[in-house]
């Protein structure tokens, strides 16, 4: 067993999803990398609207660093990651820990992340229906997580809108070709690179939103998982 740890935040639009929906994925990552995975059961909207999930995610990561010895891991090898809304939370943790002067992640893993709750991009129209995550879903999740629209431009909700993206940890970011969130992921990747952050952007042009949870499907999905786990093993083992 390696000394690294991935603190993982599940997707589900900050409204649905839990430890069980992503248990198979987290177990597969742990088994295929040899590192530990800490799956976080953050509070969900609408009962706990933004920025509750973000603050829970920050607290979970800082707790993991403080308890690294108890967890059997190296505090300098603790990463954050997540898919979709969980990718949003991982990006927020990476930004906020740096800006607040807290211990910051060794790495951020952003799987087809939601990073902007304000603007629409062409992929939202191209793939508005029929690709697991619909336009109606996006709006429903957004309205439950941020019932106060004035919060949506805040980087704690929309990390792509941070004025300063310098000094962030290395990033592994994936985008899916048939995903309404594709274009905001691409834009965030470019913004991270432009700010001088180490970036590994892996586009999966034939996959759709949510592919990481479809591990029983062979072919490109399994290849995407293997690429991710090889990267994590090299970075954190």
């Amino acid at each position: 067993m390696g000394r690294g740890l991935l603190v993982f935040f599940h997707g589900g639009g900050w409204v649905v999803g839990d430890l069980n929906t992503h248990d198979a994925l987290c177990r597969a990552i742990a088994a295929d990398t040899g590192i530990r995975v800490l799956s976080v059961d953050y509070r969900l909207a609408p009962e706990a609207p933004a920025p509750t999930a973000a603050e829970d995610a920050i607290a979970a990561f800082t707790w993991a660093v403080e308890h690294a010895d108890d967890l059997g891991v190296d505090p300098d090898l603790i990463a954050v990651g997540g898919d979709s809304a969980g990718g949003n939370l991982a990006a927020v943790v990476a930004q906020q820990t740096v800006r607040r002067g807290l211990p910051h992640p060794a790495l951020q893993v952003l799987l087809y992340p939601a990073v902007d709750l304000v603007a629409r991009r062409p992929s939202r129209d191209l793939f508005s229906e029929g690709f697991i995550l619909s336009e109606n879903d996006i709006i429903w999740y957004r309205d439950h997580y941020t019932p106060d629209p004035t919060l949506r431009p805040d980087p704690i909700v929309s990390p792509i809108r941070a004025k300063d993206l310098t000094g962030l940890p290395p990033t592994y970011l994936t985008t899916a070709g048939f995903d309404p969130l594709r274009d905001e992921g691409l834009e965030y990747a470019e913004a991270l690179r432009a700010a001088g952050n180490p970036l590994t952007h892996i586009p999966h042009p034939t996959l759709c939103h949510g592919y990481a949870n479809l591990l029983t499907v062979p072919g490109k999905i399994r290849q995407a998982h293997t690429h991710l786990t090889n990267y994590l093993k090299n970075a954190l083992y």
Side-chain angles (χ1 to χ4, degrees), residues 8-12 14 42 80-94 108-115 159 173 188:
F8 189 88
F9 310 110
H10 66 78
W14 312 276
Y42 57 89
V80 290
D83 65 314
S84 192
N88 169 283
L89 296 176
V92 168
V93 171
Q108 58 175 334
V109 178
L110 314 180
L111 306 179
Y112 40 87
V115 291
L173 187 152
Y188 194 51

Side-chain angles (χ1 to χ4, degrees), residues 5 43 45 48 53 98 101 112 132-133 150 154 169 189:
L5 173 69
R43 286 172 288 177
V98 170
Y112 40 87
I132 296 183
L133 179 68
T150 63
D154 193 307

Side-chain angles (χ1 to χ4, degrees), residues 121-203:
R121 293 167 181 81
S123 59
R124 288 268 296 271
D125 295 317
L126 286 170
F127 312 114
S128 61
E129 293 183 10
F131 296 93
I132 296 183
L133 179 68
S134 71
E135 174 66 14
N136 288 339
D137 293 336
I138 293 171
I139 294 171
W140 189 82
Y141 290 138
R142 181 201 67 189
D143 290 351
H144 280 73
Y145 185 51
T146 54
D148 177 4
T150 63
L151 185 61
R152 292 172 191 162
D154 193 307
I156 204 164
V157 168
S158 297
I160 198 171
R161 295 185 171 268
K163 294 180 180 179
D164 182 6
L165 291 175
T166 60
L168 297 180
T171 302
Y172 181 96
L173 187 152
T174 71
T175 49
F178 295 93
D179 181 359
L181 302 186
R182 181 193 65 189
D183 290 352
E184 61 192 77
L186 292 171
E187 188 175 319
Y188 194 51
E190 288 304 314
L192 290 170
R193 182 181 289 114
N197 299 291
L199 172 72
T200 301
H201 170 225
I202 307 299

